[in-house]
Amino acid sequence: MLLGLSKIIDCPGATVDFSTSVDLSDLLYGTCYPVSEPVLASGTVRNTAGVLVMQGEIRTCIHGVCDRCASDFQQDVEFPIDVVLVRELANEENEDEWVFPLEGDNANLEEIVRTVFVLNMDSKLLCKPDCEGLCCRCGKNLNDGPCSCQKEIDPRLAALRQLLK
Ligand SMILES: [Zn+2]
Ligand SMILES: [Zn+2]
């Protein structure tokens, strides 16, 4: 999936729009492959004073298994694309910028989308940021409310109370 940029490469101010769909269903997170739907990417590459700047967005819906409570969940995700395309990668490149090399006069859209997606995705999949997870003793999903083992008194504390009587 190459995006031809020969029209704008020597033409400051010129732009090329792009819109593509990338298959990232081979990305493994924990024990599941959550990117089962196509990943849509769209935006514009602009020659800004001789520098090729690619901006746009990536969106898809992930179907994951929560790392904490093990329930299935769906989540729409959207990440910005903001990268610079260069003819050759040089060591003195600003490390704050995401820089990708051109292939001839083309940008490799699939590689850029894949990299931006991976860098933006949390390595942990959670059904919600504040997921309570499962009780480590009874296995109850604590998102559904507290379980009964939390009311039990720690046996060491119980012994101490006996001594204090
Ligand atoms: Zn969860
Ligand atoms: Zn419990």
Side-chain angles (χ1 to χ4, degrees):
M1 232 171 300
L2 295 177
L3 176 66
L5 297 173
S6 52
K7 277 183 294 182
I8 68 165
I9 231 158
D10 295 313
C11 191
T15 61
V16 168
D17 292 335
F18 65 91
S19 175
T20 188
S21 164
V22 179
D23 177 9
L24 300 183
S25 59
D26 60 328
L27 287 178
L28 177 65
Y29 285 83
T31 56
C32 65
Y33 297 90
V35 199
S36 50
E37 293 191 18
V39 177
L40 306 177
S42 61
T44 303
V45 182
R46 178 184 299 272
N47 182 328
T48 305
V51 179
L52 295 178
V53 179
M54 172 182 275
Q55 289 179 314
E57 59 194 12
I58 296 174
R59 65 179 68 201
T60 190
C61 177
I62 59 171
H63 298 253
V65 177
C66 180
D67 280 345
R68 277 191 205 149
C69 72
S71 54
D72 295 329
F73 70 96
Q74 285 185 34
Q75 196 170 54
D76 290 324
V77 294
E78 191 176 322
F79 302 126
I81 302 174
D82 193 355
V83 304
V84 173
L85 307 172
V86 295
R87 281 197 188 275
E88 277 174 44
L89 284 178
N91 289 330
E92 60 265 31
E93 238 28 276
N94 183 348
E95 287 181 4
D96 292 338
E97 283 177 330
W98 288 354
V99 178
F100 290 87
L102 291 173
E103 295 179 8
D105 288 343
N106 307 300
N108 186 331
L109 277 179
E110 178 167 0
E111 187 183 311
I112 293 168
V113 170
R114 176 177 289 269
T115 305
V116 170
F117 186 89
V118 169
L119 290 172
N120 275 285
M121 268 288 277
D122 288 330
S123 55
K124 262 189 176 309
L125 288 180
L126 295 179
C127 62
K128 53 184 181 180
D130 58 349
C131 173
E132 305 275 356
L134 302 177
C135 172
C136 57
R137 296 175 69 185
C138 70
K140 183 178 191 297
N141 186 337
L142 298 176
N143 294 306
D144 299 334
C147 61
S148 50
C149 29
Q150 285 177 333
K151 290 176 196 139
E152 282 174 29
I153 300 167
D154 186 310
R156 285 161 302 175
L157 264 180
L160 191 63
R161 266 182 210 175
Q162 283 296 325
L163 287 173
L164 291 173
K165 262 187 187 166

